[in-house]
Coordinates of all heavy atoms in Angstrom, one line a residue:
M31 N -1.6 2.5 17.5 CA -0.8 2.2 16.3 C 0.6 2.3 16.5 O 1.1 3.1 17.2 CB -1.2 3.2 15.2 CG -0.5 3.0 13.8 SD -1.0 4.0 12.5 CE -2.6 3.2 12.2
K32 N 1.4 1.3 16.0 CA 2.9 1.3 16.2 C 3.6 2.2 15.2 O 3.1 2.3 14.1 CB 3.3 -0.2 16.0 CG 2.7 -1.1 17.1 CD 3.3 -2.5 16.9 CE 2.7 -3.5 17.9 NZ 3.2 -4.8 17.7
L33 N 4.8 2.6 15.5 CA 5.6 3.4 14.6 C 5.9 2.6 13.3 O 5.9 3.1 12.2 CB 6.9 3.8 15.3 CG 7.9 4.6 14.4 CD1 7.1 5.8 13.8 CD2 9.1 5.0 15.2
S34 N 6.1 1.3 13.5 CA 6.4 0.4 12.3 C 5.2 0.4 11.3 O 5.5 0.3 10.1 CB 6.8 -1.0 12.8 OG 5.7 -1.6 13.5
E35 N 4.0 0.5 11.9 CA 2.8 0.6 11.0 C 2.8 1.8 10.3 O 2.4 1.9 9.0 CB 1.6 0.4 11.8 CG 1.4 -1.1 12.4 CD 0.2 -1.2 13.3 OE1 -0.9 -1.0 12.8 OE2 0.3 -1.3 14.5
L36 N 3.1 3.0 11.0 CA 3.1 4.3 10.2 C 4.2 4.3 9.2 O 3.9 4.9 8.1 CB 3.3 5.4 11.3 CG 2.3 5.8 12.2 CD1 2.7 6.9 13.2 CD2 1.1 6.3 11.4
S37 N 5.4 3.8 9.4 CA 6.5 3.9 8.5 C 6.3 3.2 7.2 O 6.9 3.3 6.3 CB 7.8 3.5 9.2 OG 7.7 2.1 9.6
N38 N 5.3 2.2 7.2 CA 5.0 1.4 6.0 C 4.1 2.1 5.1 O 3.9 1.7 3.9 CB 4.5 0.1 6.3 CG 5.5 -0.8 6.9 OD1 6.7 -0.7 6.6 ND2 5.1 -1.7 7.9
K39 N 3.5 3.3 5.5 CA 2.5 4.0 4.7 C 3.2 5.1 3.8 O 4.1 5.7 4.3 CB 1.5 4.7 5.6 CG 0.7 3.6 6.4 CD -0.2 4.3 7.4 CE -0.9 3.4 8.3 NZ -1.8 2.4 7.8
D40 N 2.7 5.4 2.7 CA 3.1 6.5 1.9 C 2.5 7.8 2.4 O 1.4 7.7 2.9 CB 2.7 6.3 0.4 CG 3.5 5.2 -0.3 OD1 4.6 5.0 0.0 OD2 2.8 4.6 -1.2
V41 N 3.2 8.9 2.4 CA 2.7 10.2 2.9 C 2.5 11.0 1.6 O 3.4 11.1 0.7 CB 3.7 10.9 3.8 CG1 3.2 12.2 4.2 CG2 4.1 10.0 5.0
I42 N 1.2 11.5 1.5 CA 0.9 12.2 0.3 C 0.2 13.6 0.7 O -0.3 13.7 1.8 CB -0.1 11.4 -0.7 CG1 -1.4 11.1 0.1 CG2 0.6 10.1 -1.2 CD1 -2.4 10.5 -0.8
R43 N 0.3 14.5 -0.2 CA -0.3 15.8 -0.1 C -1.8 15.8 -0.3 O -2.2 15.1 -1.3 CB 0.3 16.8 -1.0 CG 1.7 17.1 -0.8 CD 2.1 18.2 -1.8 NE 3.6 18.3 -1.7 CZ 4.3 18.9 -2.6 NH1 3.8 19.3 -3.8 NH2 5.6 19.0 -2.5
D44 N -2.6 16.5 0.4 CA -4.0 16.4 0.3 C -4.5 17.1 -1.0 O -5.5 16.8 -1.6 CB -4.8 17.1 1.5 CG -4.5 18.6 1.7 OD1 -3.5 19.1 1.1 OD2 -5.2 19.2 2.4
E45 N -3.8 18.1 -1.5 CA -4.3 19.0 -2.6 C -4.2 18.2 -4.0 O -5.1 18.3 -4.7 CB -3.4 20.3 -2.7 CG -4.0 21.2 -3.8 CD -3.2 22.5 -3.7 OE1 -2.1 22.6 -4.2 OE2 -3.9 23.5 -3.2
D46 N -3.0 17.6 -4.1 CA -2.7 17.0 -5.5 C -2.4 15.6 -5.5 O -2.2 15.0 -6.5 CB -1.7 17.8 -6.3 CG -0.4 17.9 -5.5 OD1 -0.2 17.2 -4.5 OD2 0.5 18.7 -6.0
G47 N -2.3 15.0 -4.3 CA -2.0 13.5 -4.3 C -0.6 13.2 -4.4 O -0.2 12.0 -4.7
T48 N 0.4 14.2 -4.5 CA 1.8 14.0 -4.7 C 2.4 13.2 -3.5 O 2.1 13.5 -2.4 CB 2.5 15.3 -4.8 OG1 1.9 16.1 -5.9 CG2 4.0 15.1 -5.0
K49 N 3.2 12.1 -3.8 CA 3.8 11.3 -2.8 C 5.0 12.1 -2.3 O 5.8 12.5 -3.1 CB 4.2 10.0 -3.4 CG 4.9 9.1 -2.4 CD 5.3 7.8 -3.1 CE 6.1 6.9 -2.1 NZ 6.5 5.7 -2.6
L50 N 5.0 12.3 -1.0 CA 6.2 12.9 -0.3 C 7.3 12.0 0.1 O 8.4 12.3 0.2 CB 5.7 13.7 0.9 CG 4.8 14.9 0.6 CD1 4.3 15.5 1.9 CD2 5.5 15.9 -0.3
G51 N 6.9 10.7 0.3 CA 7.8 9.7 0.8 C 7.3 8.9 1.9 O 6.0 8.7 2.0
K52 N 8.1 8.3 2.7 CA 7.8 7.5 3.8 C 8.3 8.1 5.1 O 9.3 8.8 5.1 CB 8.3 6.0 3.7 CG 7.8 5.4 2.4 CD 7.4 4.0 2.7 CE 6.9 3.3 1.4 NZ 5.7 2.7 1.5
I53 N 7.7 7.8 6.2 CA 8.2 8.2 7.5 C 9.4 7.5 7.9 O 9.5 6.4 7.8 CB 7.0 8.0 8.6 CG1 5.8 8.8 8.2 CG2 7.7 8.4 10.0 CD1 4.7 8.6 9.3
Q54 N 10.4 8.4 8.2 CA 11.7 8.0 8.6 C 11.9 8.0 10.1 O 12.5 7.1 10.7 CB 12.9 8.8 7.8 CG 14.2 8.4 8.2 CD 15.2 9.2 7.5 OE1 15.0 9.7 6.4 NE2 16.4 9.4 8.1
D55 N 11.3 9.0 10.7 CA 11.5 9.2 12.1 C 10.4 10.1 12.6 O 9.6 10.6 11.9 CB 12.9 9.9 12.4 CG 13.4 9.6 13.7 OD1 12.8 9.0 14.5 OD2 14.6 10.1 14.0
V56 N 10.3 10.1 13.9 CA 9.3 11.0 14.5 C 10.0 11.8 15.7 O 11.0 11.4 16.2 CB 8.0 10.3 15.1 CG1 7.3 9.5 14.1 CG2 8.5 9.3 16.2
T57 N 9.4 13.0 16.0 CA 9.8 13.7 17.2 C 8.7 13.6 18.3 O 7.6 13.8 18.0 CB 10.0 15.2 16.9 OG1 11.0 15.3 15.8 CG2 10.5 16.0 18.0
I58 N 9.2 13.2 19.4 CA 8.2 12.9 20.5 C 8.5 13.9 21.7 O 9.6 14.1 22.1 CB 8.4 11.5 21.0 CG1 8.0 10.5 19.9 CG2 7.5 11.2 22.3 CD1 8.2 9.0 20.2
D59 N 7.4 14.4 22.2 CA 7.5 15.3 23.5 C 7.7 14.3 24.7 O 6.8 13.5 24.9 CB 6.2 16.1 23.6 CG 6.3 17.0 24.8 OD1 7.0 16.7 25.8 OD2 5.5 18.0 24.8
T60 N 8.8 14.4 25.2 CA 9.1 13.3 26.3 C 8.3 13.6 27.5 O 8.1 12.7 28.3 CB 10.6 13.4 26.7 OG1 11.0 14.7 27.0 CG2 11.5 12.8 25.5
A61 N 7.9 14.8 27.7 CA 7.0 15.1 28.9 C 5.7 14.5 28.8 O 5.1 14.0 29.8 CB 6.9 16.6 29.2
T62 N 5.1 14.5 27.5 CA 3.7 13.9 27.4 C 3.6 12.7 26.7 O 2.6 12.0 26.7 CB 2.9 15.0 26.6 OG1 3.4 15.1 25.3 CG2 2.8 16.4 27.2
G63 N 4.7 12.3 26.0 CA 4.7 11.1 25.1 C 4.0 11.2 23.8 O 3.8 10.2 23.1
R64 N 3.6 12.4 23.5 CA 2.9 12.6 22.3 C 3.8 12.9 21.0 O 4.9 13.5 21.3 CB 1.9 13.8 22.3 CG 0.8 13.5 23.3 CD -0.1 14.7 23.4 NE -1.1 14.4 24.5 CZ -2.4 14.5 24.3 NH1 -2.8 15.1 23.2 NH2 -3.2 14.3 25.2
I65 N 3.4 12.5 19.9 CA 4.2 12.8 18.7 C 4.0 14.3 18.4 O 2.9 14.8 18.2 CB 3.8 11.9 17.5 CG1 4.1 10.4 17.9 CG2 4.5 12.3 16.2 CD1 3.5 9.5 16.8
I66 N 5.1 15.0 18.1 CA 5.1 16.4 17.7 C 5.2 16.5 16.2 O 4.5 17.3 15.7 CB 6.3 17.1 18.3 CG1 6.3 17.1 19.9 CG2 6.5 18.6 17.9 CD1 7.5 17.6 20.5
S67 N 6.0 15.7 15.6 CA 6.2 15.8 14.1 C 6.7 14.5 13.5 O 7.2 13.6 14.2 CB 7.1 17.0 13.7 OG 8.4 16.8 14.3
I68 N 6.4 14.4 12.2 CA 7.0 13.3 11.5 C 8.0 13.7 10.5 O 8.0 14.8 10.0 CB 5.9 12.5 10.7 CG1 5.1 13.4 9.7 CG2 4.9 11.9 11.7 CD1 4.1 12.7 8.9
H69 N 9.1 12.9 10.3 CA 10.1 13.2 9.4 C 9.9 12.3 8.2 O 9.9 11.1 8.4 CB 11.5 12.9 10.1 CG 11.7 13.7 11.4 ND1 12.6 14.7 11.4 CD2 11.1 13.5 12.6 CE1 12.6 15.1 12.6 NE2 11.7 14.5 13.4
I70 N 9.9 12.9 7.1 CA 9.6 12.1 5.8 C 10.8 12.2 5.0 O 11.4 13.2 4.7 CB 8.4 12.8 5.0 CG1 7.2 12.7 5.9 CG2 8.2 12.0 3.7 CD1 6.0 13.7 5.4
N71 N 11.3 11.0 4.6 CA 12.4 10.8 3.7 C 12.0 10.7 2.3 O 11.2 9.8 2.0 CB 13.2 9.6 4.1 CG 14.5 9.4 3.2 OD1 14.8 10.3 2.4 ND2 15.2 8.4 3.4
N72 N 12.2 11.7 1.5 CA 11.8 11.7 0.1 C 12.9 11.5 -0.9 O 12.7 11.8 -2.1 CB 10.8 12.8 -0.3 CG 11.5 14.2 -0.2 OD1 12.7 14.3 0.2 ND2 10.9 15.2 -0.6
G73 N 14.0 11.1 -0.4 CA 15.2 10.9 -1.3 C 15.5 9.5 -1.5 O 14.7 8.6 -1.2
F74 N 16.7 9.2 -2.0 CA 17.0 7.7 -2.1 C 18.5 7.6 -1.9 O 19.3 8.5 -1.9 CB 16.7 7.3 -3.6 CG 17.5 8.0 -4.7 CD1 18.8 7.5 -5.1 CD2 17.1 9.2 -5.2 CE1 19.5 8.2 -6.1 CE2 17.8 9.9 -6.2 CZ 19.0 9.4 -6.6
R75 N 19.0 6.4 -1.6 CA 20.4 6.1 -1.3 C 20.9 4.9 -2.2 O 20.1 3.9 -2.1 CB 20.5 5.8 0.1 CG 21.7 6.6 0.7 CD 21.7 6.4 2.2 NE 21.4 7.6 2.9 CZ 22.3 8.6 3.0 NH1 23.5 8.5 2.5 NH2 22.0 9.7 3.6
L76 N 21.9 5.0 -2.8 CA 22.5 3.9 -3.6 C 23.8 3.6 -3.1 O 24.8 4.2 -3.4 CB 22.5 4.3 -5.1 CG 23.0 3.3 -6.1 CD1 22.1 2.1 -6.0 CD2 23.1 3.9 -7.5
S77 N 24.0 2.6 -2.2 CA 25.2 2.1 -1.7 C 26.1 3.3 -1.2 O 27.4 3.1 -1.2 CB 26.0 1.4 -2.7 OG 25.2 0.2 -3.2
G78 N 25.6 4.4 -0.7 CA 26.4 5.4 -0.2 C 27.2 6.2 -1.2 O 27.9 7.2 -0.8
I79 N 27.3 5.8 -2.4 CA 28.1 6.5 -3.4 C 27.3 7.7 -4.0 O 27.8 8.8 -3.9 CB 28.4 5.5 -4.6 CG1 29.2 4.4 -4.0 CG2 29.2 6.2 -5.6 CD1 29.5 3.3 -5.0
F80 N 26.1 7.5 -4.5 CA 25.4 8.6 -5.0 C 24.1 8.6 -4.2 O 23.4 7.6 -4.0 CB 24.9 8.4 -6.5 CG 26.1 8.2 -7.4 CD1 26.5 7.0 -8.0 CD2 26.8 9.3 -7.8 CE1 27.6 6.9 -8.8 CE2 27.9 9.2 -8.7 CZ 28.3 8.0 -9.1
S81 N 23.8 9.8 -3.6 CA 22.7 9.8 -2.8 C 22.0 11.2 -2.8 O 22.6 12.2 -3.1 CB 23.0 9.5 -1.3 OG 23.8 10.6 -0.8
S82 N 20.7 11.2 -2.7 CA 19.9 12.3 -2.6 C 19.0 12.1 -1.4 O 18.2 11.2 -1.4 CB 19.1 12.6 -3.8 OG 18.2 13.6 -3.6
N83 N 19.1 12.8 -0.4 CA 18.4 12.5 0.9 C 17.7 13.9 1.4 O 18.4 14.6 2.1 CB 19.3 11.9 2.0 CG 18.5 11.3 3.1 OD1 17.3 11.2 3.0 ND2 19.2 10.9 4.1
D84 N 16.5 14.0 1.0 CA 15.7 15.3 1.5 C 14.8 14.8 2.5 O 14.1 13.8 2.4 CB 15.0 15.8 0.3 CG 15.9 16.4 -0.8 OD1 17.0 16.8 -0.5 OD2 15.5 16.3 -2.0
E85 N 14.8 15.6 3.6 CA 13.9 15.3 4.7 C 12.9 16.5 4.8 O 13.2 17.6 4.8 CB 14.7 15.2 6.0 CG 13.8 14.8 7.2 CD 14.7 14.8 8.5 OE1 14.9 15.7 9.1 OE2 15.1 13.6 8.8
V86 N 11.6 16.1 5.0 CA 10.5 17.0 5.2 C 10.0 16.8 6.6 O 9.7 15.6 6.9 CB 9.4 16.9 4.1 CG1 8.3 17.8 4.4 CG2 9.9 17.0 2.7
L87 N 9.9 17.8 7.4 CA 9.4 17.8 8.7 C 8.0 18.3 8.7 O 7.7 19.4 8.3 CB 10.3 18.6 9.7 CG 9.9 18.6 11.1 CD1 10.1 17.3 11.7 CD2 10.8 19.7 11.8
V88 N 7.0 17.4 9.1 CA 5.6 17.8 9.1 C 5.1 17.7 10.5 O 5.1 16.6 11.2 CB 4.8 16.9 8.2 CG1 3.3 17.3 8.2 CG2 5.3 16.9 6.7
P89 N 4.6 18.8 11.0 CA 4.0 18.8 12.4 C 2.8 17.8 12.4 O 2.0 17.8 11.4 CB 3.4 20.3 12.6 CG 4.3 21.1 11.6 CD 4.5 20.2 10.4
W90 N 2.6 17.2 13.6 CA 1.6 16.2 13.7 C 0.2 16.8 13.4 O -0.7 16.1 12.9 CB 1.7 15.6 15.1 CG 0.7 14.5 15.4 CD1 -0.4 14.5 16.0 CD2 0.8 13.1 14.8 NE1 -1.1 13.2 16.0 CE2 -0.3 12.4 15.3 CE3 1.8 12.5 14.1 CZ2 -0.5 11.0 15.0 CZ3 1.6 11.1 13.8 CH2 0.5 10.4 14.2
N91 N 0.0 18.0 13.8 CA -1.4 18.6 13.7 C -1.6 18.9 12.2 O -2.7 19.4 11.9 CB -1.5 19.8 14.5 CG -0.6 21.0 14.2 OD1 0.4 20.8 13.3 ND2 -0.8 22.1 14.7
K92 N -0.7 18.7 11.3 CA -0.9 19.0 9.9 C -1.3 17.7 9.1 O -1.5 17.7 7.9 CB 0.3 19.6 9.2 CG 0.6 21.0 9.8 CD -0.5 21.9 9.7 CE -0.1 23.3 10.2 NZ -1.2 24.3 10.2
I93 N -1.4 16.6 9.9 CA -1.8 15.3 9.3 C -3.4 15.4 9.2 O -4.1 15.6 10.2 CB -1.4 14.1 10.2 CG1 0.1 14.0 10.1 CG2 -2.1 12.8 9.6 CD1 0.6 12.9 11.0
V94 N -3.9 15.2 8.0 CA -5.3 15.3 7.7 C -6.0 14.0 8.1 O -7.0 13.9 8.6 CB -5.6 15.7 6.2 CG1 -7.0 15.6 5.9 CG2 -5.0 17.0 5.9
K95 N -5.4 12.8 7.5 CA -6.0 11.5 7.7 C -4.9 10.4 7.7 O -3.9 10.6 6.9 CB -6.9 11.3 6.5 CG -7.6 10.0 6.5 CD -8.9 10.0 7.3 CE -9.6 8.6 7.0 NZ -10.6 8.3 8.0
I96 N -5.1 9.4 8.6 CA -4.3 8.3 8.4 C -5.1 7.2 8.0 O -6.1 6.8 8.7 CB -3.6 8.0 9.8 CG1 -2.7 9.1 10.3 CG2 -2.8 6.7 9.7 CD1 -2.1 8.9 11.6
G97 N -4.9 6.6 6.8 CA -5.6 5.6 6.2 C -4.9 4.3 6.3 O -3.9 4.1 6.9
S98 N -5.5 3.3 5.7 CA -4.9 1.9 5.8 C -3.6 1.8 5.0 O -2.8 1.0 5.3 CB -5.9 0.9 5.3 OG -6.3 1.1 4.0
D99 N -3.5 2.6 3.9 CA -2.3 2.5 3.0 C -1.5 3.9 3.0 O -0.4 3.8 2.6 CB -2.8 2.2 1.6 CG -3.3 0.8 1.5 OD1 -2.9 -0.1 2.2 OD2 -4.2 0.6 0.7
V100 N -2.2 5.0 3.3 CA -1.5 6.2 3.2 C -1.8 7.2 4.4 O -2.7 7.0 5.1 CB -1.9 7.0 1.8 CG1 -1.6 6.2 0.7 CG2 -3.4 7.4 1.9
I101 N -0.9 8.2 4.5 CA -1.1 9.2 5.4 C -1.1 10.5 4.6 O -0.4 10.8 3.8 CB 0.1 9.4 6.4 CG1 0.2 8.1 7.2 CG2 -0.1 10.6 7.2 CD1 1.5 8.0 8.0
I102 N -2.3 11.3 4.7 CA -2.5 12.4 4.0 C -2.2 13.7 4.8 O -2.7 13.8 6.0 CB -4.0 12.6 3.5 CG1 -4.4 11.3 2.7 CG2 -4.3 13.9 2.8 CD1 -5.8 11.2 2.4
V103 N -1.4 14.6 4.3 CA -1.0 15.7 5.0 C -1.4 17.1 4.2 O -1.6 16.9 3.0 CB 0.6 15.8 5.3 CG1 1.0 14.6 6.2 CG2 1.4 15.8 4.0
E104 N -1.5 18.1 5.0 CA -1.8 19.4 4.3 C -0.7 19.7 3.3 O 0.4 19.3 3.5 CB -1.8 20.5 5.3 CG -3.1 20.5 6.2 CD -3.3 21.7 7.1 OE1 -2.5 22.7 6.8 OE2 -4.1 21.7 8.0
T105 N -1.1 20.3 2.2 CA -0.2 20.8 1.2 C 0.9 21.6 1.7 O 0.6 22.5 2.6 CB -1.0 21.5 0.1 OG1 -2.0 20.5 -0.4 CG2 -0.1 21.8 -1.1
V106 N 2.1 21.4 1.2 CA 3.3 22.1 1.8 C 3.0 23.6 1.8 O 3.4 24.2 2.8 CB 4.5 21.8 0.9 CG1 5.7 22.6 1.3 CG2 4.8 20.3 1.0
H107 N 2.5 24.2 0.8 CA 2.4 25.7 0.8 C 1.3 26.2 1.9 O 1.3 27.3 2.2 CB 2.1 26.3 -0.5 CG 0.7 26.0 -1.0 ND1 0.4 24.9 -1.8 CD2 -0.5 26.7 -0.8 CE1 -0.9 24.9 -2.1 NE2 -1.4 26.0 -1.5
K108 N 0.6 25.3 2.4 CA -0.3 25.7 3.5 C 0.3 25.6 4.8 O -0.3 26.1 5.8 CB -1.5 24.6 3.5 CG -2.5 24.7 2.3 CD -3.7 23.7 2.5 CE -4.6 23.6 1.4 NZ -5.6 22.6 1.6
I109 N 1.4 25.0 4.9 CA 2.1 24.9 6.2 C 3.2 26.0 6.3 O 4.0 26.2 5.4 CB 2.8 23.5 6.3 CG1 1.6 22.5 6.3 CG2 3.5 23.4 7.7 CD1 2.2 21.0 6.2
N110 N 3.3 26.6 7.4 CA 4.2 27.7 7.6 C 5.7 27.2 7.4 O 6.0 26.1 7.7 CB 4.1 28.1 9.2 CG 5.0 29.3 9.4 OD1 6.1 29.3 9.1 ND2 4.4 30.1 10.3
N111 N 6.4 28.0 6.7 CA 7.8 27.6 6.4 C 8.7 27.3 7.5 O 9.7 26.5 7.4 CB 8.5 28.8 5.5 CG 7.9 29.0 4.2 OD1 7.4 27.9 3.6 ND2 8.1 30.1 3.6
M112 N 8.4 27.7 8.7 CA 9.1 27.4 9.8 C 8.8 26.1 10.4 O 9.6 25.5 11.1 CB 8.7 28.4 11.0 CG 9.1 29.8 10.8 SD 10.8 30.1 10.4 CE 11.5 29.8 12.1
E113 N 7.7 25.4 9.9 CA 7.4 24.1 10.2 C 7.8 23.0 9.3 O 7.8 21.8 9.7 CB 5.9 24.0 10.4 CG 5.3 24.9 11.5 CD 3.8 24.9 11.6 OE1 3.2 24.9 10.6 OE2 3.3 24.9 12.8
I114 N 8.2 23.3 8.1 CA 8.7 22.4 7.1 C 10.1 22.7 6.8 O 10.5 23.9 6.6 CB 7.9 22.4 5.8 CG1 6.6 21.8 6.0 CG2 8.6 21.7 4.7 CD1 5.8 21.5 4.8
K115 N 10.9 21.6 6.9 CA 12.4 21.8 6.6 C 12.8 20.9 5.5 O 12.5 19.7 5.6 CB 13.1 21.5 7.9 CG 14.6 21.5 7.9 CD 15.2 21.2 9.2 CE 15.1 19.8 9.6 NZ 15.7 19.4 10.8
N116 N 13.5 21.4 4.5 CA 14.1 20.6 3.5 C 15.6 20.7 3.6 O 16.2 21.7 3.7 CB 13.8 21.2 2.1 CG 12.3 20.8 1.7 OD1 11.8 19.7 2.0 ND2 11.7 21.8 1.1
N117 N 16.2 19.6 3.8 CA 17.7 19.5 3.9 C 18.2 19.0 2.6 O 17.8 17.9 2.1 CB 18.1 18.6 5.0 CG 17.8 19.0 6.4 OD1 17.7 20.3 6.6 ND2 17.5 18.1 7.3
T118 N 19.2 19.6 2.0 CA 19.8 19.2 0.7 C 21.2 18.8 1.0 O 21.8 19.1 1.9 CB 19.7 20.2 -0.3 OG1 20.2 21.5 0.1 CG2 18.2 20.4 -0.8

């Protein structure tokens, strides 16, 4: 699967179906070539004037399922706070 295919999918929580956003970036282990985590952008940008850009970092092993339209991840409170980062 290509990164462009992943980035077109909505990322949702497994517990309640809440949409977290879309994949903006990934972290890759350069030694192994494996994806370590996905970066989800759940904010919006309006011509750079008014913006809200929150990023959620989800470890790859917390992905429950990758479907044809969505990526399901473990609910945020199930994931250790050290593994999820919110930038405001």
Side-chain angles (χ1 to χ4, degrees):
M31 180 174 286
K32 296 179 182 180
L33 179 57
S34 60
E35 293 175 65
L36 283 178
S37 64
N38 288 328
K39 300 176 188 292
D40 289 326
V41 180
I42 62 169
R43 293 182 189 162
D44 66 345
E45 184 175 78
D46 58 8
T48 301
K49 180 179 172 182
L50 295 175
K52 300 224 182 231
I53 295 178
Q54 178 179 331
D55 206 353
V56 296
T57 301
I58 298 175
D59 180 336
T60 56
T62 64
R64 293 179 184 230
I65 297 175
I66 297 171
S67 60
I68 59 174
H69 303 250
I70 302 166
N71 181 6
N72 63 354
F74 64 91
R75 230 172 243 285
L76 180 61
S77 302
I79 299 170
F80 301 104
S81 67
S82 171
N83 194 7
D84 294 330
E85 183 180 84
V86 178
L87 181 67
V88 178
W90 186 257
N91 65 350
K92 299 301 180 182
I93 294 175
V94 175
K95 175 90 173 160
I96 299 175
S98 58
D99 296 325
V100 298
I101 298 171
I102 301 170
V103 298
E104 285 187 16
T105 303
V106 173
H107 71 268
K108 291 182 183 176
I109 301 173
N110 184 318
N111 287 335
M112 297 300 291
E113 296 175 320
I114 285 194
K115 176 177 73 176
N116 285 321
N117 294 330
T118 54

